[in-house]
Amino acid sequence: MRYCIVNPQSRSIVLIGMMGAGKSSVGAYLRRRMGFALLDTDAIVASKFGMPIPEIFARYGETKFRDAETEALRRMRTEEQTIIITGGGIVLRKENIEILRSQAVIVWLDGDEEILFARASRKKNRPLLQAKNPRKAFSHILGARRPLYANIADIRVDTSVLTNEEVAIAILAKLSRVNPKPESPKPTTT
Ligand code: S3P
């Protein structure tokens, strides 16, 4: 895990992780609780195409979706402290990772595979799970991505048995530990 060199409490926070990790719900909770601005790459892409994500995949294919995702990151401005919610595949491109690293503390929402899958398949809006065997597809994607998430994350939170509120609290607690405020300077003696 990377060590954060700037005070994370004043930086933007990016939520990464697999489908079903709770990035959107936790992001919305953090926004309400902390008053941060919020950016959601999936929402930006969907609004750019004027259609929901499954339709973008069906009509234009995954590569066009990924291009739009990267474009959304390139255009992102985070002058004020922002929660950035990303799609699960944001870690697939090196450029995305570089942009995120330069703008925010990276928080990985992880969890038990069965639980993530159960959550992710609750809504039928994940094009990558529209497979013959969605469970197997999920496992394959997760296996490939876990090392990528682990490699770029500053902080990991296991969300398996936590509510959104508990995840948010865990994030805030870990943020303050990643880079504690410097101690006050010791008085100099002459
Ligand atoms: C994707 C995850 C989705 C969305 C798209 C691709 C992925 O977002 O970006 O369907 O590659 O894992 P969520 O992680 O919010 O489901």
Side-chain angles (χ1 to χ4, degrees):
M1 298 238 172
R2 210 157 48 95
Y3 193 79
C4 197
I5 48 169
V6 208
N7 181 358
Q9 283 157 327
S10 62
R11 293 193 76 197
S12 292
I13 298 168
V14 59
L15 301 179
I16 63 165
M18 193 63 177
M19 300 168 255
K23 302 178 297 280
S24 303
S25 318
V26 170
Y29 182 88
L30 278 170
R31 173 205 209 172
R32 281 199 306 277
R33 184 178 155 138
M34 306 297 289
F36 295 157
L38 186 101
L39 283 172
D40 179 332
T41 59
D42 278 352
I44 295 170
V45 172
S47 126
K48 184 192 164 192
F49 281 86
M51 63 186 76
I53 287 167
E55 211 174 319
I56 301 172
F57 270 69
R59 283 214 208 175
Y60 301 103
E62 183 173 349
T63 305
K64 285 270 181 282
F65 170 81
R66 299 286 171 213
D67 290 346
E69 198 174 45
T70 300
E71 191 55 35
L73 291 183
R74 283 195 199 125
R75 289 169 178 271
M76 193 171 69
R77 294 290 168 266
T78 56
E79 279 86 22
E80 51 176 327
Q81 212 170 355
T82 304
I83 299 284
I84 305 157
I85 300 170
T86 59
I90 206 85
V91 291
L92 296 174
R93 289 192 177 177
K94 207 166 155 230
E95 180 182 350
N96 297 351
I97 293 171
E98 280 161 9
I99 296 171
L100 292 175
R101 275 190 161 158
S102 70
Q103 307 238 7
V105 181
I106 301 183
V107 176
W108 172 24
L109 300 188
D110 194 20
D112 171 78
E113 181 170 336
E114 284 301 336
I115 293 174
L116 292 179
F117 177 70
R119 289 189 200 142
S121 46
R122 223 171 272 154
K123 284 196 215 150
K124 301 283 170 236
N125 63 349
R126 263 88 184 205
L128 297 180
L129 299 184
Q130 306 306 310
K132 236 191 218 160
N133 185 338
R135 180 69 190 85
K136 205 168 156 193
F138 188 85
S139 190
H140 179 75
I141 297 170
L142 182 61
R145 287 186 189 166
R146 265 207 171 122
L148 303 175
Y149 295 136
N151 192 38
I152 71 161
D154 296 301
I155 286 169
R156 173 182 172 276
V157 175
D158 188 324
T159 67
S160 308
V161 295
L162 302 182
T163 63
N164 293 334
E165 182 179 1
E166 287 166 340
V167 173
I169 291 167
I171 292 172
L172 296 172
K174 287 190 181 205
L175 281 173
S176 60
R177 266 183 259 134
V178 167
N179 190 8
K181 289 201 178 103
E183 283 173 29
S184 331
K186 297 212 166 60
T188 46
T189 47
T190 47

